[in-house]
Amino acid sequence: MTQADDRILETLADTDLILSPRVLEANIDYSRHYLSTRLGMLRDAGLVDRVDEGLYQITDRGRAYLEGELEAEDLEK
């Protein structure tokens, strides 16, 4: 997990919206390409869902991670 991952999850949780890498890029200071890569990894870890092509929302597992109920090491198992 990176600082960008935390920012992505926090933004998705705070807004409770379905967002694209482009919208995230406009709101947090990372490139769209980097955000797309990280969103794919977060999806693989079950922290975000891809709702449609290029659209993501946080999952209950992602919220649990933000609340400290899951550790980064637990995500790699």
Side-chain angles (χ1 to χ4, degrees):
M1 294 295 288
T2 67
Q3 183 178 2
D5 296 337
D6 289 343
R7 294 282 310 276
I8 292 166
L9 292 172
E10 289 165 356
T11 302
L12 289 170
D14 290 347
T15 62
D16 203 29
L17 296 172
I18 296 168
L19 301 176
S20 69
R22 183 175 181 160
V23 171
L24 285 165
E25 176 187 39
N27 290 283
I28 60 177
D29 198 23
Y30 296 97
S31 73
R32 183 172 33 184
H33 175 74
Y34 182 69
L35 291 169
S36 293
T37 300
R38 297 312 305 169
L39 282 162
M41 297 178 122
L42 293 171
R43 186 187 67 222
D44 291 346
L47 301 176
V48 299
D49 278 333
R50 190 174 90 175
V51 178
D52 200 355
E53 185 69 33
L55 296 173
Y56 297 86
Q57 68 182 10
I58 193 166
T59 63
D60 290 339
R61 184 174 165 92
R63 290 182 193 283
Y65 169 77
L66 286 178
E67 293 171 5
E69 297 172 11
L70 289 174
E71 297 294 324
E73 301 85 43
D74 297 333
L75 302 174
E76 297 173 5
K77 295 177 183 176

